[in-house]
Amino acid sequence: MKRTITLTVNGAPRSVEVEPRALLALVLRDQLDLTGTHIGCDTSQCGACTVHIDGRAVKSCTMLAVQAEGHAVTTIEGLAAKDRLHPLQQAFWDKHGLQCGFCTPGMIMTAADLLAHNPKPSEAEIRHALEGNLCRCTGYQNIVAAVQLAAGAR
Amino acid sequence: MATLFGSGIKRREDPRLITGKATYTDDVKLPGLLYAAMLRSTYAHAKLNQVDVAKARKAAGVVAVYTGADVKDKLNTVPCAWNVPNCDLKVPPHPVLAVDKVRYVGDGIAMVVAESRAAARDALDLIDVDYDALDAVVDPEKAAAKGAPELHKEVPGNIAFTWKVAGGDTGKAFAEAAVRVEQRIVHNRLLPTAMEPRATCASYNAGTGQLTCWITSQNPHIHRFLLSVMTKLPEHRIRVIAPEVGGGFGSKIPGYPDEALVSFASMELGRPVKWTEDRSENYKVTIHGRDHVEYVELCGTKDGTITGLRTRVYAGLGGYASTAAPGIPTILHGLMYSGPYTIPNIEGTIYGVYTTTTPVDAYRGAGRPEATFLLERMIDLYARQIGMDPVDVRRKNLIPKDKFPYTVATGITYDSGNYQGALDKALQLIDYKKVRAEQAKARKEKRYLGIGVTTYCEICGLGPSQVAGAVGFGGGLYDSAIVRVYPTGVVRAYIGGKPHGQGEETTFAQIVADEFGIPVENVEVVAGDTEATPQGWGTYGSRTTAVCGSAVKVAAQRVKEKAKKIAAHLLEASEADLEWKEGKFVVKGSPDKGKSFGDLALMANVAWNMPPGVEPGLEATAFFDPSNFVYPFGTHICTVEVDVETGEVKILRYVAVDDCGPQINPMIVEGQVHGGVIQGLGEALQEMAVYDEDGQLLTGTMMDYAVPKASQMPKVETAHTVTPSPVNPLGVKGVGETGTIASVPTLVNAVCDALAPLGVTHIDKPLTPARVWAAIQQAKGGTP
Ligand code: FES
Ligand code: FES
């Protein structure tokens, strides 16, 4: 029943034996020990599980691990070069863009995709882009400020 | 040296959180780990006949299956820990797995333990349950009515308690009043929705007899106690670790059956077991909030003096009494009926009612949002009736700032306040006169602008332990800290609280670093592990900074006192001749003769030359029990425009002026206000847990329950005033819940104000376009 898939995870080739029905989010967490990717819902609303597949933000709870076969997956652990912070990570820190931090990896991954494709977004564009990422703690204001700061720093 | 108190330094929590290196409960992995899944009732109310687990037990990967019958003699029932006195409280047994009856959709029926998450989930489908459906009742007012279906044989009529609050002579006040207003208010049921679902990972070592339990917990010491009660394991053999916790909002205070079941499984099977709820399970099983039906009357003079308030409240408790549930609509609600005002006559009757729904317990604000909402709504209705500006009515009734400490009619005494100061500041920020003028102009153009104002105060910083005991709270409400200085002069503070987003690892380090004159980087704050931290009562009720922070301060002061003794000895001076200057004890008059904190840390820890009678080491423990609660306050003002064709509400501006005393870290305070306000606006505009008549939760996933999104919410403009509290050494008050307390009536008052020309007086939350539109049609005399 299980299948071995090969994929690139945070720049390194990995091969992993998965159940065909296994969601990518769970495989990342349980089998690849990348627990920075969180699971906050079961209906694809919260965005806590957001990773990059070939550079685009994807909710990893919404795809099967087998669908990632042959693709490049980047998680929050692999977003920045070693021992450095990505400008968005730095901006979330500087602007107090997080409280409990549970939504944060997904927020940052989504925001990174936004800035890659729209380097100078307006506040409305940022809020729109983050619609699929829920945060219960911050009221979003400082998250928006963090994305603006990171956009300015580019 | 500049003080760190008052400085918005960045949070030390963040590096691990922004890089994915934090460890939340579901991240915990142990060798030989098993996974649990719970079978939940699909009926709201039913007799449980047979639970057939034979097929599930044989399924691939399944290690064990337990039913209510299997565990009922091995585990105790789930305790309720707030036994509010003088209200005839009835707490029927709450078995960890249902035995003969289920009482809400989500009530536990069986637990499967298997080698993988998937195997555990799959096996649930193999369990056959034979139910006899019974009638459901989801509305607390209906559940309290004659002939309603009864949940518990021990509780005829479903009334768990009848609690009364009274002060003054309310009957007389109403009889003599020139003006009376009344309103039925439904306080919508809410789903707390901490972004991290609940989880437990339990590991029992039969050799040592020790249970280690990772729990998504706001209060690990309380969970240790509750686990001990449920599992019958003595408390000293249980270690509870609350690792990183992804938000709580009250939902991670209670003891749930799940952590006892998972612990039990680990003890039975000799392997670690983990259970993590998914979101749909969370919405059905983790506590809900609010759920009141309120009948409220307010009376006063024609010129705006409020003379009385009377309420009758039906507070839904759900199927069982959760850990703190009885205290929420009583102590934390009814006692706050005077708000920031001098209302001389107050009377309230609160019925706690069992309904066939998920248990209701503390949700951010817990009782105070409901009190503030009904009061602020009634004041607007009253102001409209007497034709006075709602701000003028409020100003006329606010407790004067020179009257503190002030005892209100409900019997509690407010610590300090300057309510007029916050009101003035908020009016100035919004430019009240100007927005009223704009409103008048807009009305002529048939545009509907509204202004909502809330002046609030709230009770938090829970609280003196003696009061906790007197009101039936099953624990103390002091908190604790150990401040431990290492030989190299770096420090760890072990605290009884358990921050889960509020940033106390940073703010408490600021307190300690200030006390010792050392860089903040030299202080670590440790929380959440009962093995390391002294007995504490957790993080809720906006108490951690005021109570636990004070314990940190006192412990640090004790350390410093001892350091001073050692300094005096080493400098051959008397203690009286020493002063603390720029991080050193120096001899007065000869500032070059001194000992730094680092010197003293080393000398105390090596103990080569201690003063006679002074023990080696440099650490101190403090248990801080405050003399009173703290009462933060403020004024929130919001302006809205309502589209009367669609019922859509657009927030134009939102101004929050809060006073939580001196701010240790203004950046963190502001973050708490932002989050609280938006959470409250969610409650006011779009959030509601909806059950159908059969007790099925219709808003059972995030698809249906409207957690606010970035694109739906406004910017919050914050400002503050500073009125210190006299009841703790930091002078601080809480700010974790003010936002959810103040923002809800502010928004609803603004919308009702906008629609005043159409004759709309009240709309029950949430103010969805459909509800607003219907209210407009109804006011116009049409059928909605
Ligand atoms: S866990 Fe993927 S969207 Fe919520
Ligand atoms: S920081 Fe807690 S959910 Fe966003």
Side-chain angles (χ1 to χ4, degrees):
Chain A
M1 273 279 274
K2 286 198 177 176
R3 254 183 72 179
T4 301
I5 57 167
T6 56
L7 66 172
T8 306
V9 181
N10 294 332
R14 300 289 296 257
S15 94
V16 50
E17 208 192 2
V18 301
E19 280 197 51
R21 63 172 171 171
L23 299 174
L24 178 60
L26 278 169
V27 170
L28 289 172
R29 290 179 51 75
D30 287 353
Q31 293 182 254
L32 296 171
D33 288 326
L34 293 166
T35 54
T37 298
H38 297 151
I39 298 177
C41 74
D42 45 11
T43 50
S44 204
Q45 252 78 37
C46 77
C49 62
T50 307
V51 299
H52 290 178
I53 307 282
D54 302 330
R56 293 307 305 243
V58 170
K59 291 179 174 179
S60 64
C61 74
T62 311
M63 77 185 260
L64 300 169
V66 291
Q67 291 175 290
E69 163 109 63
H71 291 280
V73 181
T74 307
T75 69
I76 189 71
E77 290 93 340
L79 182 65
K82 193 168 167 18
D83 298 331
R84 294 206 6 224
L85 292 179
H86 184 277
L88 271 163
Q89 290 171 320
Q90 185 69 46
F92 269 68
W93 191 10
D94 291 348
K95 286 289 173 188
H96 188 29
L98 59 146
Q99 291 180 23
C100 80
F102 195 79
C103 71
T104 312
M107 284 285 177
I108 289 175
M109 298 310 281
T110 300
D113 184 349
L114 167 70
L115 295 187
H117 297 91
N118 180 2
K120 295 281 173 216
S122 66
E123 178 178 343
E125 284 172 330
I126 295 170
R127 286 183 179 267
H128 179 72
L130 296 178
E131 231 177 18
N133 290 75
L134 299 178
C135 175
R136 193 57 152 170
C137 299
T138 64
Y140 301 105
Q141 193 156 328
N142 288 344
I143 291 177
V144 173
V147 179
Q148 283 170 325
L149 176 67
R154 289 163 69 92
Chain B
M1 194 180 285
T3 77
L4 286 155
F5 195 119
S7 147
I9 60 167
K10 290 197 288 179
R11 298 199 322 167
R12 62 193 33 219
E13 291 87 342
D14 292 4
R16 63 179 188 260
L17 298 167
I18 54 182
T19 55
K21 293 193 173 72
T23 303
Y24 295 84
T25 301
D26 187 62
D27 302 345
V28 173
K29 275 185 208 126
L30 301 168
L33 186 62
L34 297 171
Y35 295 84
M38 309 292 175
L39 183 73
R40 310 276 180 195
S41 172
T42 52
Y43 283 87
H45 196 197
K47 219 169 126 274
L48 202 54
N49 297 325
Q50 226 207 329
V51 183
D52 182 355
V53 298
K55 266 184 272 167
R57 282 203 171 118
K58 282 190 233 126
V62 169
V63 176
V65 182
Y66 303 97
T67 65
D70 298 328
V71 299
K72 77 176 191 314
D73 297 327
K74 298 185 173 161
L75 291 170
N76 282 324
T77 53
V78 187
C80 170
W82 199 336
N83 295 306
V84 176
N86 308 321
C87 64
D88 194 19
L89 176 63
K90 297 184 187 73
V91 178
H94 178 187
V96 290
L97 287 174
V99 179
D100 49 9
K101 214 179 166 190
V102 288
R103 294 180 175 88
Y104 66 96
V105 170
D107 210 349
I109 293 176
M111 169 173 62
V112 173
V113 184
E115 298 285 350
S116 71
R117 290 184 207 257
R121 280 294 289 269
D122 285 348
L124 295 181
D125 295 339
L126 301 175
I127 300 174
D128 276 328
V129 184
D130 181 24
Y131 302 93
D132 276 339
L134 299 165
D135 287 340
V137 58
V138 301
D139 176 305
E141 188 180 13
K142 288 187 184 146
K146 268 207 172 57
E150 277 178 1
L151 277 81
H152 300 276
K153 63 178 187 310
E154 301 85 351
V155 192
N158 301 321
I159 308 279
F161 59 80
T162 305
W163 185 86
K164 287 181 197 281
V165 58
D169 188 342
T170 309
K172 185 158 169 270
F174 273 89
E176 290 173 358
V179 185
R180 264 164 263 161
V181 284
E182 54 181 63
Q183 182 62 50
R184 179 182 191 267
I185 293 172
V186 179
H187 218 106
N188 39 333
R189 178 186 272 257
L190 301 172
L191 305 178
T193 318
M195 290 309 302
E196 178 205 26
R198 280 189 308 117
T200 298
C201 180
S203 177
Y204 181 72
N205 182 324
T208 62
Q210 299 278 336
L211 172 72
T212 304
C213 211
W214 287 261
I215 305 180
T216 48
S217 170
Q218 298 178 221
N219 30 244
H221 299 90
I222 292 182
H223 274 117
R224 182 180 63 190
F225 168 74
L226 294 171
L227 254 187
S228 163
V229 171
M230 290 188 276
T231 61
K232 309 183 189 181
L233 207 60
E235 216 183 342
H236 67 300
R237 299 244 207 89
I238 301 175
R239 173 184 184 184
V240 171
I241 301 171
E244 209 73 63
V245 176
F249 314 109
S251 71
K252 293 170 182 171
I253 299 170
Y256 292 89
D258 313 297
E259 52 255 22
L261 287 164
V262 172
S263 300
F264 167 78
S266 181
M267 289 192 261
E268 289 284 303
L269 302 170
R271 288 173 66 178
V273 182
K274 182 163 76 178
W275 164 83
T276 304
E277 64 185 1
D278 56 30
R279 182 59 63 188
S280 333
E281 194 174 12
N282 168 273
Y283 276 180
K284 284 198 282 280
V285 178
T286 293
I287 60 105
H288 294 178
R290 319 280 191 255
D291 197 29
H292 286 193
V293 178
E294 301 162 343
Y295 291 85
V296 195
E297 301 164 88
L298 180 141
C299 65
T301 63
K302 279 187 194 144
D303 62 352
T305 299
I306 302 166
T307 55
L309 179 81
R310 191 154 57 193
T311 73
R312 189 171 89 249
V313 174
Y314 299 91
L317 298 178
Y320 303 95
S322 178
T323 306
I328 310 301
T330 53
I331 309 301
L332 292 179
H333 172 75
L335 293 183
M336 281 312 293
Y337 276 164
S338 198
Y341 311 108
T342 55
I343 305 176
N345 306 294
I346 291 175
E347 200 179 288
T349 304
I350 286 118
Y351 301 100
V353 188
Y354 291 113
T355 59
T356 56
T357 60
T358 300
V360 176
D361 205 328
Y363 168 61
R364 199 172 192 174
R368 293 98 86 206
E370 298 90 317
T372 300
F373 185 81
L374 70 83
L375 190 54
E376 292 300 301
R377 229 17 319 270
M378 295 313 288
I379 290 178
D380 265 31
L381 291 173
Y382 170 58
R384 201 188 287 189
Q385 179 124 333
I386 60 176
M388 230 170 123
D389 186 300
V391 167
D392 295 336
V393 175
R394 286 179 169 82
R395 191 184 292 282
K396 188 160 190 174
N397 292 280
L398 286 176
I399 299 165
K401 68 169 192 262
D402 56 1
K403 288 279 194 286
F404 291 90
Y406 183 86
T407 302
V408 290
T410 58
I412 53 176
T413 301
Y414 297 175
D415 59 341
S416 63
N418 176 2
Y419 303 156
Q420 294 79 3
L423 174 61
D424 287 338
K425 192 159 196 173
L427 292 173
Q428 199 187 342
L429 275 171
I430 200 95
D431 203 343
Y432 189 67
K433 281 213 182 84
K434 188 163 152 241
V435 289
R436 279 285 174 216
E438 280 169 11
Q439 181 186 45
K441 187 162 160 274
R443 280 182 178 170
K444 289 202 189 102
E445 298 161 5
K446 292 256 178 290
R447 287 194 302 122
Y448 296 87
L449 298 193
I451 305 159
V453 180
T454 290
T455 45
Y456 77 92
C457 77
E458 65 121 340
I459 181 171
C460 69
L462 318 179
S465 300
Q466 201 191 349
V467 178
V471 299
F473 185 76
L477 281 173
Y478 60 84
D479 226 293
S480 61
I482 299 170
V483 170
R484 181 170 296 157
V485 184
Y486 290 62
T488 48
V490 292
V491 181
R492 276 188 168 225
Y494 298 83
I495 62 168
K498 172 54 194 161
H500 44 282
Q502 301 87 343
E504 279 93 349
E505 286 178 41
T506 301
T507 48
F508 288 5
Q510 290 176 259
I511 296 171
V512 174
D514 268 351
E515 197 65 35
F516 298 154
I518 56 176
V520 73
E521 297 73 31
N522 290 7
V523 186
E524 285 291 318
V525 175
V526 180
D529 183 348
T530 59
E531 201 84 323
T533 58
Q535 177 69 40
W537 295 95
T539 292
Y540 47 82
S542 302
R543 66 187 302 273
T544 300
T545 303
V547 186
C548 192
S550 296
V552 170
K553 171 84 177 172
V554 173
Q557 283 171 332
R558 284 183 188 155
V559 164
K560 201 162 154 191
E561 277 161 30
K562 180 168 179 183
K564 188 176 188 183
K565 282 196 173 65
I566 300 167
H569 177 70
L570 294 173
L571 293 166
E572 296 175 343
S574 85
E575 274 186 70
D577 288 338
L578 294 189
E579 61 181 345
W580 178 254
K581 244 187 169 165
E582 308 202 352
K584 280 182 179 171
F585 279 113
V586 295
V587 180
K588 282 181 201 156
S590 36
D592 48 324
K593 265 192 90 185
K595 290 283 169 199
S596 71
F597 181 74
D599 298 336
L600 298 166
L602 179 65
M603 290 313 284
N605 277 291
V606 295
W608 291 330
N609 184 8
M610 295 294 279
V614 176
E615 288 174 7
L618 194 55
E619 71 172 66
T621 302
F623 290 86
F624 179 78
D625 204 348
S627 58
N628 191 3
F629 299 90
V630 292
Y631 295 83
F633 60 89
T635 298
H636 287 206
I637 305 181
C638 159
T639 53
V640 300
E641 177 160 4
V642 182
D643 182 335
V644 295
E645 299 301 322
T646 63
E648 212 165 343
V649 175
K650 187 171 169 219
I651 297 175
L652 304 175
R653 281 184 73 194
Y654 194 101
V655 168
V657 177
D658 297 286
D659 191 325
C660 61
Q663 302 183 358
I664 300 172
N665 187 319
M667 175 193 81
I668 288 177
V669 169
E670 191 183 57
Q672 289 295 310
V673 175
H674 288 170
V677 167
I678 298 305
Q679 209 162 344
L681 293 178
E683 166 174 351
L685 284 169
Q686 61 192 54
E687 289 182 39
M688 179 160 170
V690 182
Y691 282 98
D692 72 8
E693 285 198 347
D694 296 329
Q696 293 294 335
L697 182 62
L698 301 180
T699 51
T701 73
M702 275 189 175
M703 269 197 284
D704 311 295
Y705 187 78
V707 176
K709 297 177 179 183
S711 56
Q712 297 168 320
M713 288 291 139
K715 242 192 186 138
V716 181
E717 302 168 48
T718 56
H720 58 270
T721 58
V722 178
T723 308
S725 171
V727 309
N728 64 64
L730 301 166
V732 298
K733 302 186 178 189
V735 74
E737 295 159 296
T738 57
T740 36
I741 289 168
S743 62
V744 187
T746 306
L747 188 280
V748 176
N749 280 347
V751 173
C752 292
D753 180 57
L755 300 177
L758 301 175
V760 174
T761 54
H762 178 77
I763 313 173
D764 272 326
K765 322 173 266 123
L767 303 190
T768 58
R771 283 190 175 199
V772 173
W773 186 85
I776 294 168
Q777 305 314 308
Q778 201 162 26
K780 281 182 178 166
T783 31

